[in-house]
Amino acid sequence: MENTLWGHLPLLVNTNSKESVEYILQVLWRTRKTGLDATDRLVIAEMLQLTNHSDLDPLLVCLRMLMRRCVYENISKDEIQKLFPDEVLPELQRLLTLLLQKFQREWREDVLKDQVTMPRLKSMTWNMADQDTEILDPVAVINLKLQNDAQSSSGELEVKFQLDKDTLDTMLKSMYSIRDQLYDAGETSNGHLPRETNMV
């Protein structure tokens, strides 16, 4: 993290309460996939007593980076305070460490729940399209069965589509690229949870 971002953390002192900082962290987590809307930004800016709203984004980026490191990296509760450089005020270090420790387990559980809700591939079958039709080039029909374990009902979805030779070649290249990235991620993850897209 760049040193310039750390310099915005003292803005949190303007809230004058632990509850306000806790609220900000909870809002940032709740909006981790969508980013803050205009109302959230206004509320937080008022809590921070900001006269210049351009100071808000660097602070939010800094907090989100801290939160992601605590959730997605293999960092224990005792190691959270070590994330802060010496220039961060000791009282801020203690406050943020306390709050990040408080929510770390809950947020990690949220991430795991998000992963579970993703459908998984149950089976795949294929056959060649009926050549008695007027299709000039040979076409394969792919049938995928997806299972969503998070749904209370059967949660099974069937997807059927056609592939010609050119489309299949393109798809295979993409699948090979995905395979290579999965192998690379498996070798370097060391137990880390997958990262999410940055949002302010």
Side-chain angles (χ1 to χ4, degrees), residues 19-121:
E19 289 73 22
S20 296
V21 178
E22 181 173 330
Y23 172 84
I24 292 172
L25 293 181
Q26 288 180 308
V27 171
L28 288 176
W29 181 253
R30 173 173 55 81
T31 60
R32 65 191 182 279
K33 296 179 181 179
T34 60
L36 294 175
D37 60 25
T39 301
D40 287 329
R41 292 176 63 86
L42 181 61
V43 169
I44 293 176
E46 290 179 350
M47 294 175 69
L48 295 170
Q49 304 176 42
L50 293 180
T51 56
N52 185 355
H53 284 203
S54 64
D55 292 329
L56 181 60
D57 284 343
L59 172 63
L60 298 180
V61 169
C62 185
L63 290 174
R64 284 196 187 274
M65 292 178 72
L66 272 173
M67 293 164 66
R68 278 195 293 271
R69 291 195 65 182
C70 291
V71 175
Y72 297 104
E73 297 184 15
N74 194 20
I75 294 176
S76 68
K77 285 187 174 183
D78 296 334
E79 294 174 324
I80 290 177
Q81 191 162 3
K82 298 177 182 178
L83 296 175
F84 300 95
D86 294 337
E87 58 264 28
V88 177
L89 298 173
E91 56 266 32
L92 272 180
Q93 290 189 38
R94 287 191 293 269
L95 174 59
L96 288 172
T97 298
L98 181 67
L99 292 174
L100 291 170
Q101 288 174 337
K102 176 180 179 180
F103 292 113
Q104 185 184 45
R105 181 176 179 179
E106 176 186 335
W107 291 344
R108 283 182 170 175
E109 289 175 353
D110 287 343
V111 172
L112 293 175
K113 288 177 184 177
D114 290 343
Q115 292 178 327
V116 171
T117 59
M118 294 294 293
R120 60 183 175 85
L121 178 63

Side-chain angles (χ1 to χ4, degrees), residues 125-137:
T125 57
W126 67 275
N127 60 279
M128 298 303 295
D130 187 357
Q131 295 301 304
D132 293 335
T133 63
E134 296 180 359
I135 298 177
L136 299 178
D137 297 325

